[in-house]
Amino acid sequence: MRKTDLSGASCPIARSLSDIGDWWSLLIVRDALSGMTRFSEFQRSLGCARNILSARLAKLVERDVLTVAPASDGSAYTEYRLTEKGKTLRVPLVALRQWGEDHLFDAAEERLSLVDKRDGLPVARLELRAHDGRTLSPDDVETRNRSDART
Amino acid sequence: MRKTDLSGASCPIARSLSDIGDWWSLLIVRDALSGMTRFSEFQRSLGCARNILSARLAKLVERDVLTVAPASDGSAYTEYRLTEKGKTLRVPLVALRQWGEDHLFDAAEERLSLVDKRDGLPVARLELRAHDGRTLSPDDVETRNRSDART
DNA sequence: CGCCATTGGTTTCATTATTAAACCATGCGG
DNA sequence: CCGCATGGTTTAATAATGAAACCAATGGCG
């Protein structure tokens, strides 16, 4: 099954999905971003089967999203920590979170929300901007083939 | 299988994933955002089995991400168009795209990139900001339980 | 030290999803 | 009316997922 391998696609979205584009992987990263490090923490939080948690963690380590640290609190157990690459998944996750809050919750419904520690207020909506800071509407952009020279 | 249903989770990320969190759905939305509307267009672009494309389209319609329009160009065929809800998936997709460009491509490698139509330059990086516009670093935020009153 | 519970997995097997391929119904051009 | 394209659905093989059993190595406690 899943013979389709997107890791060589020319679309960055497709490649991203081949790394972290399944159900559990993104939730693992979400939990890791909130400070979880241990197998059992993830397992309790996600409630998924342990073998698949195990497989997902291994894949995320292989893809350099997580690393296994030998220990940290003295115990001989291993910890899973986000790499720099993994930490930058925060933005996509926030985008997904905001979308979900906007469209999938009743106004009065309880939700987990991302807030500024300083004042406890929710973070601002993510916005699409031009390189010079102008806000861009959906019609102002298009996808194009570029060979680099990112500014 | 897949007995786990996240649609009632208190985490907006989990709920989002239950709507659009599988391989093909997000790619369908990506293509829809670039103007595709017809079954065969999606099928050609994605190269996935037609029955699963059919199932995904139906699910996206059911979840109000797409609608089926009776026609538009005269032919009696149906079109799949993004709803407002669907269109706002652009931001999460851009976030994913930028992450992929940053971490999954060699510098010189060809890629599909999102550019400002006006000048052809890539759009700015999405950034996390406080409600008053301050840029926030990862350590400045936390997730918290809120019952609404979004500002 | 000795014993049991917990952590961190791996293995096994049943169940479910994905896929390719065949099939079918309508529309549409000539 | 013939033939091909569109827009699917059905069927059967294959692959991924999930629950539960199993296992090895700590860690805590007396």
Side-chain angles (χ1 to χ4, degrees):
Chain A
M1 180 220 238
R2 185 113 318 174
K3 53 177 17 131
T4 30
D5 175 22
L6 264 32
S7 66
S10 68
C11 170
I13 294 174
R15 281 205 198 173
S16 295
L17 291 177
S18 98
D19 264 35
I20 44 87
D22 65 274
W23 257 54
W24 297 120
S25 295
L26 268 179
L27 294 176
I28 291 170
V29 172
R30 174 200 66 179
D31 285 349
L33 278 168
S34 75
M36 292 187 191
T37 58
R38 308 258 297 238
F39 189 95
S40 54
E41 288 183 289
F42 292 118
Q43 209 276 321
R44 240 190 316 281
S45 166
L46 301 176
C48 73
R50 286 184 302 188
N51 53 351
I52 101 109
L53 175 57
S54 178
R56 288 292 174 278
L57 287 171
K59 182 183 170 190
L60 289 172
V61 168
E62 183 203 314
R63 304 297 176 93
D64 194 33
V65 172
L66 297 174
T67 44
V68 286
S72 116
D73 63 338
S75 75
Y77 294 124
T78 59
E79 288 185 343
Y80 296 90
R81 300 202 157 278
L82 287 165
T83 61
E84 283 309 311
K85 179 178 171 185
K87 286 179 188 168
T88 59
L89 279 169
R90 186 183 288 277
V91 173
L93 280 171
V94 168
L96 221 46
R97 174 185 294 280
Q98 291 183 343
W99 186 80
E101 289 195 63
D102 287 346
H103 299 287
L104 273 20
F105 281 78
D106 295 336
E109 200 172 355
E110 282 266 304
R111 74 201 66 177
L112 285 168
S113 193
L114 196 69
V115 301
D116 184 351
K117 273 185 195 168
R118 190 143 29 153
D119 51 21
L121 291 173
V123 302
R125 176 77 10 142
L126 289 171
E127 278 185 322
L128 210 54
R129 292 170 184 276
H131 67 106
D132 59 7
R134 299 192 319 276
T135 298
L136 291 171
S137 82
D139 294 334
D140 295 333
V141 297
E142 64 183 353
T143 59
R144 189 180 291 178
N145 217 324
R146 293 176 358 94
S147 67
D148 192 305
R150 116 111 31 60
T151 175
Chain B
M1 177 223 239
R2 182 112 320 169
K3 56 180 13 134
T4 31
D5 175 23
L6 264 32
S7 65
S10 69
C11 171
I13 294 174
R15 281 204 199 175
S16 295
L17 291 177
S18 98
D19 264 35
I20 44 86
D22 65 274
W23 257 55
W24 297 120
S25 295
L26 269 180
L27 294 175
I28 291 169
V29 173
R30 174 201 65 180
D31 285 348
L33 279 168
S34 75
M36 292 186 191
T37 58
R38 309 258 297 237
F39 189 94
S40 53
E41 288 183 291
F42 293 118
Q43 210 275 322
R44 242 191 313 281
S45 166
L46 301 175
C48 73
R50 285 184 304 189
N51 53 352
I52 101 109
L53 175 57
S54 178
R56 289 291 175 279
L57 287 170
K59 182 183 170 190
L60 288 172
V61 168
E62 182 203 315
R63 303 298 176 93
D64 194 34
V65 171
L66 297 175
T67 43
V68 285
S72 117
D73 63 339
S75 75
Y77 293 125
T78 60
E79 288 186 343
Y80 296 90
R81 301 204 155 277
L82 287 165
T83 61
E84 284 308 310
K85 180 179 172 185
K87 286 179 189 168
T88 59
L89 279 168
R90 186 183 289 278
V91 173
L93 280 172
V94 168
L96 221 47
R97 174 185 294 282
Q98 291 183 343
W99 186 81
E101 289 195 62
D102 286 347
H103 298 287
L104 273 20
F105 281 78
D106 295 336
E109 201 172 355
E110 282 266 306
R111 74 201 66 177
L112 285 169
S113 193
L114 196 69
V115 301
D116 184 351
K117 274 185 193 166
R118 186 137 39 147
D119 51 21
L121 290 174
V123 302
R125 175 80 9 141
L126 289 171
E127 278 185 321
L128 209 54
R129 292 170 184 276
H131 68 105
D132 59 7
R134 297 193 322 277
T135 298
L136 291 171
S137 81
D139 295 333
D140 294 333
V141 296
E142 64 183 354
T143 59
R144 189 180 293 177
N145 216 326
R146 291 174 2 92
S147 69
D148 193 310
R150 113 113 29 61
T151 174

